[in-house]
Amino acid sequence: MFIAIDEVGNEIEAIHASRSKKYYCPVCQSEVIVKRGDIKIAHFSHQNINMCERYLYRRESPLHLKLKNNLYLMLKPNYDVRLEYYLQEIEQIPDCLVECSVALEIQLSKISPSLIMDRTNGYKTLGIDVRWIHDDSGIVTKNDTIYLSHFQISTLNQFHLFTVDSETMTFYMYRVIGNVGGMRWRYEKKKISYHDLIRPVEDIYEFIKMDRVFIDNEIKRARMMRSVRNKTLSYLYLLQLTADELPTLFMYLTPFERFIEEPPLEWKLYLYYHIKNKSFDYHAFLEYITLRKVNTNLTSKDIANGLLYDFKKILRISNE
């Protein structure tokens, strides 16, 4: 940590702390010690992390400390920014809290999506938007496809992923456009300034037309699963359709399918089959879809309604 409390209650940055004085953790009030050297950035440390009753100050790597400190120094001249400000109401400590409205979190280690969601929702209760910032070197891409883990998906903000080059302090934003099955997504990447980390993020809803190769690959992946319960193959069988016979509507990626775990071909086949056979049931559809752990204020009904809207639109587009 970079901020501690001195003996008279003042906040002190580690870089200005004296080894001859005593300092205390702002959360648990236990004594902390100053650490500085030629390699490590000056920071405070608990003598034993278990002394911190809420374990809010996790052990941070030297790289995490460096990035957090550099980000703070970048922001400080232009913004009201608090370093490691303790939010007592939710018992969370953002790396940087900017203008009391945006939390910036350097997230180098992989943690559970549920924990990311809990922390994100905690910030939301205080009206704080959060940007989880990854190390850009840890992002896997190939051509126009980005491979995102469940952990990375949980950190998306309006389907945007934020990263930093740890060597140059250059920031990037990946716009996640559409899911092409499993952890594979279409994306766009652009370099941004640190000011863009503070600005509101808006999702862009668009429909992307793929080609027949995409459909062929989806069916191949379904067959590779070697399961008689595979729903993609089951609906193709029930509809008596081959890949070449599928209507054009199945070639589109849609905005709302990013919220669900069902493959892009499967959920469209589900609707196509039940609508064609006049057996569609809204409540059964709600039970069918599985929501991803992703930062959103939408309910399951909102997403189900969005998928139905998407389906009607691609049906109309494909018939034009």
Side-chain angles (χ1 to χ4, degrees), residues 15 44 76 197 220 259 309 313:
I15 195 171
F44 295 103
K76 193 174 181 181
L197 295 173
K220 284 179 183 177
F259 290 100
Y309 171 83
K313 184 161 183 175

Side-chain angles (χ1 to χ4, degrees), residues 149-300:
S149 66
H150 290 294
F151 155 66
Q152 290 167 331
I153 290 171
S154 69
T155 66
L156 296 177
N157 187 310
Q158 297 291 328
F159 285 98
H160 289 75
L161 182 80
F162 295 90
T163 67
V164 60
D165 183 315
S166 59
E167 295 296 325
T168 64
M169 284 302 291
T170 303
F171 296 96
Y172 298 97
M173 182 169 68
Y174 294 76
R175 185 167 76 89
V176 179
I177 302 171
N179 179 253
V180 290
M183 299 293 103
R184 296 171 293 110
W185 304 76
R186 286 288 182 270
Y187 79 102
E188 292 176 352
K189 178 183 179 180
K190 72 174 183 177
K191 179 181 174 181
I192 61 173
S193 73
Y194 63 86
H195 298 289
D196 294 315
L197 295 173
I198 315 304
R199 296 181 179 124
V201 182
E202 292 186 4
D203 190 16
I204 300 174
Y205 283 67
E206 62 181 301
F207 294 78
I208 304 167
K209 188 177 181 180
M210 307 295 282
D211 53 26
R212 289 284 170 185
V213 175
F214 164 71
I215 291 178
D216 291 340
N217 288 337
E218 282 299 288
I219 294 174
K220 284 179 183 177
R221 290 188 183 93
R223 287 174 177 155
M224 286 172 63
M225 295 177 68
R226 299 182 182 277
S227 172
V228 294
R229 296 183 179 180
N230 184 278
K231 293 177 182 177
T232 296
L233 300 180
S234 295
Y235 284 116
L236 283 172
Y237 174 78
L238 291 170
L239 289 163
Q240 292 296 292
L241 289 172
T242 64
D244 293 335
E245 295 170 333
L246 284 173
T248 308
L249 71 93
F250 291 97
M251 297 168 64
Y252 284 90
L253 303 181
T254 79
F256 274 91
E257 69 185 14
R258 294 174 299 173
F259 290 100
I260 63 172
E261 293 189 359
E262 281 68 33
L265 184 56
E266 181 193 303
W267 75 269
K268 297 181 187 76
L269 284 168
Y270 174 100
L271 287 180
Y272 190 77
Y273 171 79
H274 286 291
I275 291 172
K276 185 176 182 179
N277 288 277
K278 298 181 180 180
S279 59
F280 176 75
D281 180 270
Y282 181 74
H283 295 290
F285 183 55
L286 273 176
E287 292 182 3
Y288 160 72
I289 59 175
T290 306
L291 303 187
R292 296 184 186 275
K293 284 186 169 61
V294 63
N295 178 17
T296 180
N297 292 323
L298 299 177
T299 66
S300 57

Side-chain angles (χ1 to χ4, degrees), residues 12-76:
I12 302 294
E13 291 185 31
I15 195 171
H16 299 135
S18 169
R19 293 184 186 276
S20 62
K21 294 183 179 180
K22 290 186 176 183
Y23 301 97
Y24 303 90
C25 172
V27 177
C28 67
Q29 284 77 53
S30 62
E31 188 173 347
V32 294
I33 55 177
V34 184
K35 290 187 175 181
R36 64 164 64 94
D38 295 331
I39 299 177
K40 283 192 174 181
I41 296 173
H43 64 283
F44 295 103
S45 176
H46 289 80
Q47 295 181 17
N48 185 334
I49 192 60
N50 294 333
M51 294 170 63
C52 194
E53 58 189 25
R54 298 183 182 90
Y55 298 87
L56 292 179
Y57 282 108
R58 62 276 192 200
R59 291 192 183 278
E60 295 175 331
S61 67
L63 179 58
H64 189 139
L65 291 170
K66 184 190 83 169
L67 294 176
K68 175 165 59 173
N69 186 58
N70 289 348
L71 180 58
Y72 171 69
L73 295 176
M74 278 183 172
L75 295 165
K76 193 174 181 181

Side-chain angles (χ1 to χ4, degrees), residues 72-85:
Y72 171 69
L73 295 176
M74 278 183 172
L75 295 165
K76 193 174 181 181
N78 299 295
Y79 299 96
D80 174 16
V81 55
R82 307 289 182 87
L83 183 66
E84 299 175 342
Y85 185 74

Side-chain angles (χ1 to χ4, degrees), residues 114 118 128 148 167 179 187 218 283-284 305 307-308 311:
S114 295
D118 287 345
I128 296 172
L148 297 177
E167 295 296 325
N179 179 253
Y187 79 102
E218 282 299 288
H283 295 290
N305 292 338
L307 289 167
L308 293 174
F311 190 80

